[in-house]
Amino acid sequence: MTLCTRLTNARFLTMDPDHPVAHDLGIWRGRIAGLDEAVTSLPAREVIDLQGATVLPGFIDAHVHLAWTGLKENTLSIAGLTRVEDVLAVVAEAAAAQASADAWLDLAGYDQRALGRHLTAAELDQVSHGHKVYILHDSGHGCVVNSAVLDLLPADLPHENGFLAEGAMGAARALRLPYSQQELAEAIGRAARTCLSEGITACAEAGIGGTLFGHSPVELGAYQLAREQGLLPLRTQLMISADRLRPVAAHEADGIPRALDLGLRSGFGDDHLSVGALKIYTDGGMMARTAALSGPYEGLGHTGQLQDDPEALTETIVGGHLAGWQLAVHAIGDRAADIALDALERAQRLRPRPGARHRIEHAGLIRPDQLPRFAQLGLSAVVQPNFLRYFGDDYAAIMGEARAPWLYRGRAFLDHGVPLIGSSDRPVADGSPLRAIQFMVERTSESGQVIGTAEAVTVDEALYAYTAAGAHACNWEHSLGTLTPGKRADLTVLGDDPRSVDVSRIGDIEVAATYVEGQEMPEERQKAQEMKKTHPHSTPLRSQM
């Protein structure tokens, strides 16, 4: 046998307990042919000396928004601005530059916390010159609009002086034509290159086609188009938003109350592009103060909000389970988690599916009494460590001293036998797995505040969360997640070993190369690096109007 490639002189951290560390790895036709002595003496068309680098399975981001990320990169941004008057000046300049009276003004990077309060429709009216203004909140769970938009919405639609949250935001989005598949394909490609530059080789797109985060009712086709045009080098699993399902007259023996057309469900596709879980939203987010809590936010006097009444949410969760889907239930607050846990318990009683691999997305605030229920139901916790790295000071403040230790847990999940899955929710937060891994170990925000010390995990456990555990959560464990013979040769080459450097340096380790099916991705990496040099904070002041 002649190998296509042999990688040598490296420290391969395989994530496979049967062969945890290797020094040589052979690749044949995109798969791992063997390790160490099994391949060292075999001939190879190419031998690459990695000069002592550390190699891991390609990182898996189990919860990301590629289309949104790519679109945001090409949208006028107000990120970093801390004064209302400066934001209004940007809006005024954009309005003056827009020739078409019917055009919308789109802006990204909105976060009321930086400004000290929300913008108002009246303020936007003064600078928008009659254009319709839509400014998306960084959490994705709200937007602020001007009166030109409010006038097109139902009079009884709830808003706070132009700030629309959750379903109300979806009503504003629905006023507009969706993006074209070509626009979305190009945006997906931009985001994919950034992911590759950070060592990510596979991801789960967290909800397409829906009212809240979807960009088009034919959004799945945009991912197919991106793949056909060579714009999607990542392995991508698509979660379908639950509001895409409709009642079906299926045979009563099937027990399927609602479905996509043709009965499409989890597992359709191949190992490059496939349909994954059904995405169900139960609440909002902490940044927008809409995550549903069992007690009030500190100093705010309210407990957030559910996406619908509990009975309707339960019906959606149970129906998805009965229809055979793997479920990815968005639940950030502990009240939302209660709704999800109760519904999943009911679903499993009605039709036991012990291998369903249902997931709780975010699991942002989980009480101690909820942890055993996660384990009993066989749920995975898909967390976003970088939320606390970058927003932890704020989240700890609004939760208060008693609840802050429950935020985005790590150790407690593992101790209860709950799989801990790493992810980013890009572009809501920074997408770097290495920076997230650093936080999982040290639990320290950018300001130096330690949040939930008892929730720290080891470096090995954090690496596992972004590799083997992520593969299992996405039903990819037979082809990804470990450097095991027979699996896809998706690799991340690092300039240093995360297990041997000081924990404070893990986030700064260089991603020297990324391989997909045994092929290095130099072009995508170079493009992503060039983009970062031009826009180091990924908030370019460019307008797509």
Side-chain angles (χ1 to χ4, degrees):
M1 175 183 182
T2 299
L3 299 172
C4 297
T5 307
R6 186 171 71 249
L7 303 178
T8 188
N9 187 20
R11 184 185 298 107
F12 293 91
L13 306 182
T14 69
M15 299 294 120
D16 180 353
D18 293 333
H19 194 149
V21 181
H23 53 77
D24 275 19
L25 181 145
I27 299 170
W28 186 72
R29 294 188 177 180
R31 292 185 180 271
I32 299 170
L35 301 168
D36 293 341
E37 287 71 22
V39 297
T40 301
S41 60
L42 292 178
R45 298 192 188 103
E46 181 181 31
V47 176
I48 299 176
D49 185 339
L50 292 178
Q51 300 180 0
T54 297
V55 182
L56 287 158
F59 291 130
I60 296 171
D61 190 334
H63 184 119
V64 66
H65 301 276
L66 292 179
W68 178 15
T69 297
L71 292 169
K72 185 177 180 180
E73 289 176 3
N74 269 22
T75 300
L76 181 67
S77 177
I78 57 172
L81 300 181
T82 58
R83 301 194 310 164
V84 169
E85 52 266 39
D86 291 339
V87 173
L88 296 177
V90 172
V91 177
E93 183 179 357
Q98 183 52 255
S100 172
D102 295 330
W104 288 65
L105 302 183
D106 287 312
L107 292 90
Y110 177 59
D111 187 341
Q112 84 284 356
R113 298 172 302 174
L115 300 174
R117 64 172 177 83
H118 278 299
L119 297 171
T120 69
E123 288 171 330
L124 294 174
D125 292 343
Q126 295 172 6
V127 296
S128 54
H129 301 291
H131 292 290
K132 295 178 281 291
V133 179
Y134 182 97
I135 307 179
L136 182 63
H137 195 276
D138 265 348
S139 68
H141 287 273
C143 65
V144 62
V145 301
N146 65 346
S147 296
V149 177
L150 293 176
D151 290 345
L152 301 174
L153 296 169
D156 59 350
L157 192 75
H159 68 89
E160 180 185 340
N161 297 320
F163 180 73
L164 303 166
E166 308 302 342
M169 178 194 71
R173 289 172 63 110
L175 294 172
R176 311 173 61 180
L177 284 174
Y179 290 93
S180 72
Q181 287 190 343
Q182 186 60 52
E183 287 177 297
L184 291 174
E186 292 170 1
I188 291 162
R190 287 192 293 271
R193 289 195 295 270
T194 300
C195 289
L196 282 173
S197 74
E198 295 173 343
I200 298 165
T201 59
C203 69
E205 167 66 62
I208 65 167
T211 302
L212 193 60
F213 284 90
H215 296 91
S216 165
V218 292
E219 193 169 0
L220 188 148
Y223 286 83
Q224 290 180 293
L225 182 61
R227 183 183 180 188
E228 290 165 0
Q229 295 180 345
L231 299 174
L232 186 61
L234 299 178
R235 301 187 194 282
T236 305
Q237 191 176 88
L238 305 174
M239 300 184 200
I240 309 297
S241 291
D243 56 8
R244 291 295 93 196
L245 272 61
R246 61 182 182 85
V248 292
H251 193 284
E252 63 179 14
D254 294 332
I256 299 175
R258 289 188 292 169
L260 293 177
D261 289 341
L262 304 180
L264 193 69
R265 61 176 173 83
S266 302
F268 182 82
D270 57 29
D271 66 355
H272 194 100
L273 180 63
S274 61
V275 172
L278 183 70
K279 179 70 177 295
I280 300 173
Y281 297 92
T282 63
D283 68 345
M286 288 187 187
M287 292 171 64
R289 311 315 196 216
T290 55
L293 311 179
S294 58
Y297 287 87
E298 286 288 315
L300 296 182
H302 70 81
T303 58
Q305 65 186 78
L306 295 171
Q307 292 285 353
D308 207 335
D309 64 78
E311 293 76 16
L313 293 172
T314 297
E315 181 182 352
T316 300
I317 292 170
V318 172
H321 173 88
L322 295 178
W325 287 88
Q326 177 191 22
L327 303 182
V329 184
H330 168 116
I332 292 184
D334 61 328
R335 182 183 174 211
D338 281 334
I339 299 290
L341 292 168
D342 290 346
L344 289 166
E345 284 181 352
R346 179 181 171 190
Q348 291 285 15
R349 283 198 304 270
L350 291 173
R351 181 177 294 172
R353 287 176 56 209
R357 299 193 192 181
H358 296 325
R359 310 157 34 144
I360 299 296
E361 308 298 304
H362 306 297
L365 186 77
I366 301 300
R367 301 188 310 269
D369 64 287
Q370 293 173 321
L371 293 165
R373 300 183 69 193
F374 269 72
Q376 291 162 7
L377 287 165
L379 303 176
S380 296
V382 184
V383 300
Q384 296 76 41
N386 274 336
F387 277 15
L388 291 191
R389 178 178 173 90
Y390 295 102
F391 315 136
D393 295 351
D394 174 64
Y395 285 13
I398 60 174
M399 289 301 107
E401 185 177 352
R403 293 180 294 184
W406 306 343
L407 286 165
Y408 292 90
R409 292 177 179 271
R411 172 56 52 201
F413 284 129
L414 293 178
D415 286 351
H416 282 80
V418 176
L420 179 66
I421 316 300
S423 71
S424 69
D425 204 16
R426 185 196 305 265
V428 177
D430 175 83
S432 164
L434 287 170
R435 284 190 280 274
I437 288 164
Q438 177 178 322
F439 176 83
M440 294 173 79
V441 178
E442 66 180 7
R443 301 286 301 189
T444 303
S445 72
E446 279 196 311
S447 74
Q449 180 179 356
V450 179
I451 303 167
T453 307
E455 294 300 327
V457 302
T458 68
V459 174
D460 283 330
E461 289 166 335
L463 292 172
Y464 194 86
Y466 270 92
T467 53
H472 188 268
C474 296
N475 290 282
W476 279 330
E477 73 273 18
H478 297 300
S479 59
L480 303 175
T482 64
L483 302 183
T484 304
K487 292 192 177 184
R488 299 290 183 183
D490 292 1
L491 317 168
T492 299
V493 182
L494 303 179
D496 217 329
D497 186 343
R499 305 174 310 166
S500 62
V501 302
D502 187 270
V503 172
S504 64
R505 290 186 51 224
I506 292 175
D508 295 322
I509 293 175
E510 178 193 8
V511 177
T514 305
Y515 286 76
V516 175
E517 290 201 8
Q519 299 295 315
E520 187 178 358
M521 301 282 109
E523 183 180 357
E524 286 80 1
R525 177 171 170 73
Q526 180 180 355
K527 289 178 181 177
Q529 288 177 331
E530 288 173 353
M531 183 194 72
K532 288 182 177 181
K533 289 177 182 177
T534 306
H535 307 292
H537 302 294
S538 296
T539 53
L541 287 174
R542 291 179 290 174
S543 179
Q544 189 179 49
M545 297 183 238

